[in-house]
Short mmCIF file of all heavy atoms in Angstrom, two decimals:
data_model
loop_
_atom_site.label_atom_id
_atom_site.label_comp_id
_atom_site.label_asym_id
_atom_site.label_seq_id
_atom_site.Cartn_x
_atom_site.Cartn_y
_atom_site.Cartn_z
N GLY B 1061 10.67 45.52 -67.93
CA GLY B 1061 10.91 45.28 -69.34
C GLY B 1061 12.36 45.16 -69.68
O GLY B 1061 12.78 44.35 -70.51
N SER B 1062 13.26 45.96 -69.04
CA SER B 1062 14.66 45.92 -69.24
C SER B 1062 15.25 44.58 -68.83
O SER B 1062 16.13 44.05 -69.45
CB SER B 1062 15.40 47.03 -68.50
OG SER B 1062 14.97 48.26 -68.99
P DT C 1170 7.28 34.55 -71.42
OP1 DT C 1170 6.95 33.37 -72.24
OP2 DT C 1170 8.68 35.13 -71.39
"O5'" DT C 1170 6.25 35.73 -71.78
"C5'" DT C 1170 4.91 35.54 -71.47
"C4'" DT C 1170 4.09 36.78 -71.98
"O4'" DT C 1170 4.12 37.79 -70.98
"C3'" DT C 1170 4.60 37.40 -73.26
"O3'" DT C 1170 3.40 37.53 -74.11
"C2'" DT C 1170 5.11 38.78 -72.83
"C1'" DT C 1170 4.34 39.02 -71.61
N1 DT C 1170 4.89 39.93 -70.62
C2 DT C 1170 4.21 41.03 -70.12
O2 DT C 1170 3.04 41.28 -70.50
N3 DT C 1170 4.91 41.80 -69.21
C4 DT C 1170 6.18 41.61 -68.74
O4 DT C 1170 6.66 42.36 -67.88
C5 DT C 1170 6.82 40.40 -69.27
C7 DT C 1170 8.24 40.12 -68.77
C6 DT C 1170 6.23 39.68 -70.17
P DA C 1171 3.53 37.85 -75.65
OP1 DA C 1171 2.90 36.74 -76.39
OP2 DA C 1171 4.97 38.21 -75.97
"O5'" DA C 1171 2.62 39.15 -75.71
"C5'" DA C 1171 1.75 39.46 -74.61
"C4'" DA C 1171 1.00 40.76 -74.92
"O4'" DA C 1171 1.51 41.80 -74.04
"C3'" DA C 1171 1.19 41.29 -76.30
"O3'" DA C 1171 -0.01 42.00 -76.61
"C2'" DA C 1171 2.40 42.21 -76.18
"C1'" DA C 1171 2.26 42.74 -74.72
N9 DA C 1171 3.56 42.86 -74.03
C8 DA C 1171 4.69 42.13 -74.12
N7 DA C 1171 5.62 42.46 -73.34
C5 DA C 1171 5.11 43.51 -72.65
C6 DA C 1171 5.64 44.31 -71.63
N6 DA C 1171 6.89 44.13 -71.13
N1 DA C 1171 4.88 45.32 -71.13
C2 DA C 1171 3.65 45.44 -71.60
N3 DA C 1171 2.98 44.74 -72.57
C4 DA C 1171 3.81 43.78 -73.04
P DG C 1172 -0.22 42.55 -78.17
OP1 DG C 1172 -1.70 42.47 -78.36
OP2 DG C 1172 0.71 41.87 -79.06
"O5'" DG C 1172 0.18 44.02 -78.05
"C5'" DG C 1172 -0.39 44.87 -77.00
"C4'" DG C 1172 0.35 46.16 -76.84
"O4'" DG C 1172 1.60 45.92 -76.14
"C3'" DG C 1172 0.86 46.76 -78.21
"O3'" DG C 1172 0.75 48.15 -78.13
"C2'" DG C 1172 2.30 46.29 -78.27
"C1'" DG C 1172 2.64 46.51 -76.88
N9 DG C 1172 3.91 46.00 -76.44
C8 DG C 1172 4.63 44.95 -76.87
N7 DG C 1172 5.77 44.77 -76.22
C5 DG C 1172 5.81 45.72 -75.25
C6 DG C 1172 6.74 46.02 -74.31
O6 DG C 1172 7.75 45.43 -74.00
N1 DG C 1172 6.40 47.12 -73.55
C2 DG C 1172 5.18 47.85 -73.67
N2 DG C 1172 5.06 48.92 -72.83
N3 DG C 1172 4.31 47.57 -74.57
C4 DG C 1172 4.64 46.48 -75.34
P DA C 1173 0.56 49.04 -79.43
OP1 DA C 1173 -0.80 48.83 -79.98
OP2 DA C 1173 1.76 48.84 -80.28
"O5'" DA C 1173 0.70 50.51 -78.82
"C5'" DA C 1173 0.03 50.80 -77.58
"C4'" DA C 1173 0.85 51.76 -76.78
"O4'" DA C 1173 1.97 51.10 -76.22
"C3'" DA C 1173 1.41 52.98 -77.60
"O3'" DA C 1173 1.29 54.14 -76.80
"C2'" DA C 1173 2.83 52.58 -77.83
"C1'" DA C 1173 3.18 51.79 -76.56
N9 DA C 1173 4.24 50.74 -76.82
C8 DA C 1173 4.22 49.73 -77.74
N7 DA C 1173 5.29 48.95 -77.76
C5 DA C 1173 6.04 49.53 -76.71
C6 DA C 1173 7.32 49.16 -76.20
N6 DA C 1173 8.00 48.17 -76.56
N1 DA C 1173 7.76 49.90 -75.15
C2 DA C 1173 7.02 50.96 -74.70
N3 DA C 1173 5.83 51.36 -75.14
C4 DA C 1173 5.40 50.62 -76.11
P DC C 1174 1.67 55.58 -77.51
OP1 DC C 1174 0.92 56.56 -76.66
OP2 DC C 1174 1.34 55.45 -78.95
"O5'" DC C 1174 3.20 55.78 -77.28
"C5'" DC C 1174 3.67 56.09 -75.91
"C4'" DC C 1174 5.21 56.01 -76.03
"O4'" DC C 1174 5.62 54.64 -76.32
"C3'" DC C 1174 5.84 56.87 -77.07
"O3'" DC C 1174 6.35 58.05 -76.49
"C2'" DC C 1174 6.94 55.99 -77.64
"C1'" DC C 1174 6.92 54.77 -76.80
N1 DC C 1174 7.28 53.55 -77.58
C2 DC C 1174 8.48 52.87 -77.24
O2 DC C 1174 9.26 53.43 -76.42
N3 DC C 1174 8.80 51.75 -77.93
C4 DC C 1174 7.95 51.24 -78.81
N4 DC C 1174 8.29 50.14 -79.47
C5 DC C 1174 6.68 51.89 -79.12
C6 DC C 1174 6.39 53.04 -78.46
P DG D 1464 21.50 47.57 -76.96
OP1 DG D 1464 21.27 47.39 -78.29
OP2 DG D 1464 22.59 47.34 -76.31
"O5'" DG D 1464 20.52 48.49 -76.11
"C5'" DG D 1464 19.22 48.57 -76.63
"C4'" DG D 1464 18.58 49.63 -75.83
"O4'" DG D 1464 17.38 50.05 -76.50
"C3'" DG D 1464 18.15 49.18 -74.51
"O3'" DG D 1464 18.35 50.25 -73.50
"C2'" DG D 1464 16.67 48.90 -74.67
"C1'" DG D 1464 16.25 49.85 -75.68
N9 DG D 1464 15.12 49.38 -76.55
C8 DG D 1464 15.10 48.26 -77.35
N7 DG D 1464 14.01 48.15 -78.02
C5 DG D 1464 13.22 49.24 -77.51
C6 DG D 1464 11.87 49.65 -77.89
O6 DG D 1464 11.08 49.07 -78.60
N1 DG D 1464 11.55 50.84 -77.19
C2 DG D 1464 12.37 51.52 -76.36
N2 DG D 1464 11.81 52.56 -75.81
N3 DG D 1464 13.62 51.14 -76.03
C4 DG D 1464 13.94 49.99 -76.68
P DT D 1465 17.92 50.09 -72.07
OP1 DT D 1465 18.82 50.93 -71.18
OP2 DT D 1465 17.85 48.67 -71.69
"O5'" DT D 1465 16.49 50.72 -72.00
"C5'" DT D 1465 16.38 52.08 -72.30
"C4'" DT D 1465 14.91 52.54 -71.98
"O4'" DT D 1465 14.01 51.98 -72.90
"C3'" DT D 1465 14.44 52.24 -70.57
"O3'" DT D 1465 13.89 53.36 -69.97
"C2'" DT D 1465 13.36 51.07 -70.80
"C1'" DT D 1465 12.84 51.54 -72.15
N1 DT D 1465 12.17 50.43 -72.94
C2 DT D 1465 10.90 50.55 -73.36
O2 DT D 1465 10.23 51.52 -73.10
N3 DT D 1465 10.40 49.48 -74.11
C4 DT D 1465 11.09 48.34 -74.43
O4 DT D 1465 10.57 47.48 -75.07
C5 DT D 1465 12.49 48.24 -73.98
C7 DT D 1465 13.24 47.06 -74.27
C6 DT D 1465 12.92 49.31 -73.17
P DC D 1466 13.76 53.39 -68.40
OP1 DC D 1466 13.86 54.70 -67.83
OP2 DC D 1466 14.58 52.28 -67.84
"O5'" DC D 1466 12.20 52.90 -68.25
"C5'" DC D 1466 11.22 53.92 -68.58
"C4'" DC D 1466 9.89 53.22 -68.85
"O4'" DC D 1466 10.02 52.12 -69.74
"C3'" DC D 1466 9.27 52.55 -67.54
"O3'" DC D 1466 8.34 53.52 -67.00
"C2'" DC D 1466 8.60 51.28 -68.07
"C1'" DC D 1466 8.81 51.38 -69.64
N1 DC D 1466 9.00 50.04 -70.26
C2 DC D 1466 7.98 49.45 -70.96
O2 DC D 1466 6.96 50.03 -71.01
N3 DC D 1466 8.21 48.25 -71.57
C4 DC D 1466 9.41 47.63 -71.47
N4 DC D 1466 9.54 46.45 -72.00
C5 DC D 1466 10.48 48.23 -70.73
C6 DC D 1466 10.22 49.46 -70.11
P DT D 1467 7.55 53.15 -65.72
OP1 DT D 1467 7.23 54.39 -64.96
OP2 DT D 1467 8.28 52.08 -65.01
"O5'" DT D 1467 6.18 52.58 -66.16
"C5'" DT D 1467 5.50 53.27 -67.24
"C4'" DT D 1467 4.22 52.49 -67.55
"O4'" DT D 1467 4.47 51.33 -68.37
"C3'" DT D 1467 3.36 51.99 -66.36
"O3'" DT D 1467 2.07 52.32 -66.62
"C2'" DT D 1467 3.69 50.53 -66.37
"C1'" DT D 1467 3.87 50.24 -67.84
N1 DT D 1467 4.83 49.08 -68.13
C2 DT D 1467 4.49 48.17 -69.04
O2 DT D 1467 3.40 48.18 -69.64
N3 DT D 1467 5.37 47.21 -69.26
C4 DT D 1467 6.64 47.03 -68.70
O4 DT D 1467 7.39 46.10 -68.95
C5 DT D 1467 6.99 48.05 -67.71
C7 DT D 1467 8.21 47.97 -67.03
C6 DT D 1467 6.05 49.03 -67.50
P DA D 1468 0.95 52.06 -65.47
OP1 DA D 1468 0.15 53.24 -65.28
OP2 DA D 1468 1.66 51.45 -64.26
"O5'" DA D 1468 0.08 50.91 -66.20
"C5'" DA D 1468 -0.03 50.99 -67.64
"C4'" DA D 1468 -0.78 49.74 -68.12
"O4'" DA D 1468 0.17 48.69 -68.41
"C3'" DA D 1468 -1.80 49.19 -67.08
"O3'" DA D 1468 -2.92 48.71 -67.83
"C2'" DA D 1468 -1.03 48.08 -66.44
"C1'" DA D 1468 -0.16 47.55 -67.49
N9 DA D 1468 1.17 47.05 -67.07
C8 DA D 1468 1.93 47.52 -66.08
N7 DA D 1468 3.05 46.87 -65.98
C5 DA D 1468 3.00 45.91 -66.88
C6 DA D 1468 3.91 44.86 -67.27
N6 DA D 1468 5.05 44.62 -66.63
N1 DA D 1468 3.51 44.02 -68.27
C2 DA D 1468 2.34 44.23 -68.89
N3 DA D 1468 1.45 45.20 -68.63
C4 DA D 1468 1.82 45.98 -67.58
#
Side-chain angles (χ1 to χ4, degrees):
Chain B
S1062 297

